[in-house]
Every structure is written in C-alpha cells, then in structure tokens.
C-alpha cells in the first residue's frame, strides 16, 4: 500500500518506519536537516532494543511524492494550517487521511456532535483552509496512545505504548476502517477499531489539556504536578469542565469510570510533549488542546472558569517566549 507520512518526527517515524519495514511503499514529507538525514542514512527508529532503518522516498515537495492510498498526518498542531493546502498532489479521490495528532482535529464537529450541528472551529482552522484541503469524507480519526521522541534528525526513539485507536468520524464501522486497522495490526501496532472515535479523542484530550499546558508553564513532570495538592485540585476543576462539555457533544467520558488521573500517574513521571516543545523552543499546541474546547464550550453556553484561566496563562506564557502567535 502507498502510505504518505506527513512529518518525520516522533510519531511519524514510529509509524512510518514500521510500515516501511513491512514492505509498504512509504514516502515522507520532510524538510531541512531531517530530510537530509533520511536521504543520507535512511529513516531510523529505535524500538524494542533494536534500530530499524527504512529507505523511503523523502521530499519537501508533496508533488514529488504523488498520490497515496493513505496519508498519515503526524505534525504538531501549529504546523497543520500551512501544510494542509500543499498536500493536494498526495490526495486522490480514494486516499484515506489519518491525523495522528493530539487535541481537537479540524474535522471534529464537521459532522455535528451531540447538541451541536455541523460546526467549523475557528480556533483550530481560522480561515477554513484545513477543512477545504483535507475535508471530512476521506478522514479516518485516530488517537495515539504511545510516546516517542526524536533523538536526532530522522532518528526516533520509541518510549512506551503501542496503541492506535481508529474510527470513522461519524461513528459506526466501514470496510475502509477495517482495512486500515488491518494495515496497522499487520505492522505490529495494537490497532483498535472504535465506533466512537470522537469519544476516544475527547478522553485522550481530558489528560492532554491539563497535563500538557500545566507542565509547559511550570516545567514540572507529570508526577510532580499530580503530587501537588493545589495543582492536582486545579487539574480536577479543568477536567470537570471538559467532562461537562463532552457530555453535551456526544462524548460522555465520565461513563468510563476510570480515574483518569490515575491512568496518567501509571505512566510514571515524564515530560509531556508540550514541555519538550517548550524546552526545544518549538510552537506549542495551545489551540488544539485548550482554545478548541473553550470555543466548543462557548457554543454550548458552558461556563469554563478554570479552563479560561489555564488557557490565558498558557497563551501568555507562549506569547512571551515566541511559542504562540502574539
Ligand atoms: N511524541 C509523543 O510521544 C506523542 C505525540 N503525540 C502527538 O502527535 C503529533 C505529532 O507529534 P510529534 O511526532 O511528537 O512531533 P514532532 O515535533 O516530533 O514531529 C513533527 C514533525 O513535523 C515536521 N514538520 C513541521 N512542519 C513541516 C513542514 N512544513 N514540512 C515538513 N515537515 C514538517 C517537523 O519537522 P522539523 O523538525 O523540520 O520542524 C517534525 O519532524 C502531535 O499532535 C503530538 O501532540 C501524541 C502522543 C504522544
Ligand atoms: C504522553 C502524553 C499522554 C502526556 O500527556 C501525551 O500525549 C503527550 O505528551 O503529548
């Protein structure tokens, strides 16, 4: 199968190298020193005590990569708006578009959700350019439950987890979804087929929208945040607001009953990807994790004082460091 990876970083490498190793025709949109490294040394992934190296077609020009059966978008949120309109040469009528990203995706409410009708979210797709480029009908939603880090240009180290949840944006099942799950399962991923991928996205967001920004503004690892009673109490207040929003948009995450903070604590003490981005001086995913839930809450008339405070603090932190548009 022809698979186009958009982004050759931690998640892109964790997925792309493994698909290439299974004989799929993998190509990757990369740039700069990452592109040069992949062309010179192959695309490398350290996983399970070994280094996998994949020789793949790599370019910074989507037209050079051509039409794909599947594209997997493994960019950080702030990069998507500029890249999406350039991807047209890689997207044919039957191409499946799989965002492997955290946070609220551009398509999340394009088919409606709970009390809301079909809704575009300006906080993550201000001019509608991402939706115009990537649409809704060819999307398969996904949630990444794994962690990895780029240890050098074109060289990724897997850290933990192996789970990809995949689902049709409108819910239910389909033959194309089954084919996609089989593609990932055959390559060694735990590929879970979900009939409610929006719920799974919101459940992952429940953790990311607190742990990631709080770690970014404090510099703390997750264990230290959860061990601080005042910070843990604030976290719970933001989570309660996210739970109230979710209940109104078809994502009743509290029904799972699992102590979400305990799930995060089980991962041990680590730096979230947002803190890693702060330390690397990279733009941070504030809009996908915080601005979008706030926008949805406003459309529902849900008050979010704790989420408002966290968004304001994180946004100002990002602006002051050039990690978020001023
Ligand atoms: N890392 C993790 O453990 C996890 C990450 N996620 C989520 O997965 C998504 C991807 O994260 P992650 O892989 O960590 O991010 P990385 O920062 O490691 O990788 C993003 C890649 O996108 C590339 N990129 C950005 N803009 C362009 C462009 N215009 N053309 C070509 N390449 C471009 C970057 O290239 P360059 O280096 O040149 O900037 C970089 O290689 C995020 O939404 C993240 O929150 C989810 C779960 C865990
Ligand atoms: C590892 C985890 C779950 C922490 O929130 C994550 O998704 C991230 O760091 O972005």
């Amino acid at each position: 199968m022809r698979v186009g990876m958009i982004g050759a970083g931690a998640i892109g490498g964790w997925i792309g190298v493994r698909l290439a190793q299974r004989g799929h025709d993998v190509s990757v949109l990369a740039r700069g020193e990452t592109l040069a490294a992949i062309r010179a040394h192959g695309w490398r992934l350290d996983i399970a005590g070994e280094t996998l190296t994949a020789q793949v077609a790599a370019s910074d020009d989507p037209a050079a990569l051509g039409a794909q059966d599947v594209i997997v978008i493994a960019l950080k949120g702030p990069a998507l708006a500029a890249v999406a309109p350039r991807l047209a040469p890689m997207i044919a009528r039957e191409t499946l578009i799989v965002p492997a990203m955290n946070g609220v995706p551009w398509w999340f409410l394009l088919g409606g959700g709970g009390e809301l009708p079909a809704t575009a979210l300006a906080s993550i797709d201000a001019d509608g350019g991402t939706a115009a480029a990537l649409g809704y009908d060819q999307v398969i939603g996904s949630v990444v439950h794994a962690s990895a880090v780029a240890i050098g240009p074109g060289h990724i180290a897997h850290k933990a987890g192996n789970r990809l949840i995949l689902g049709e944006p409108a819910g239910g099942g389909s033959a194309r979804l089954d084919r996609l799950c089989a593609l990932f399962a055959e390559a060694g991923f735990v590929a879970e087929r979900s009939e409610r991928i929006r719920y799974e996205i919101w459940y992952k967001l429940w953790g990311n929208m607190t742990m990631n920004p709080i770690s970014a503004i404090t510099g703390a690892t997750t264990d230290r945040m959860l061990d601080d009673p005042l910070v843990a109490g604030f976290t719970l207040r933001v989570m309660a607001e996210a739970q109230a929003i979710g209940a109104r948009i078809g994502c009743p995450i509290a029904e799972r009953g699992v102590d979400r903070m305990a799930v995060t604590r089980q991962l041990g003490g680590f730096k979230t990807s947002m803190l890693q981005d702060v330390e690397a001086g990279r733009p941070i995913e504030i809009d996908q994790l915080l601005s979008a839930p706030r926008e949805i809450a406003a459309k529902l008339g849900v008050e979010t004082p704790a989420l408002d405070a966290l968004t304001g603090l994180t946004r100002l932190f990002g602006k002051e460091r050039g990690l978020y548009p001023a």
Side-chain angles (χ1 to χ4, degrees), residues 11-38:
I11 297 307
W14 174 65
I15 293 174
V17 171
R18 297 171 74 187
L19 292 177
Q21 289 279 314
R22 299 299 297 174
H24 293 289
D25 179 6
V26 174
S27 55
V28 61
L29 184 74
R31 64 182 179 182
E33 57 182 7
T34 300
L35 175 58
I38 291 172

Side-chain angles (χ1 to χ4, degrees), residues 102 147 204 208 211-212 267 270 272-273:
N102 272 337
S147 63
K204 174 83 186 290
N208 283 143
M211 292 292 100
N212 292 36
L267 293 172
F270 59 89
T272 70
S273 61

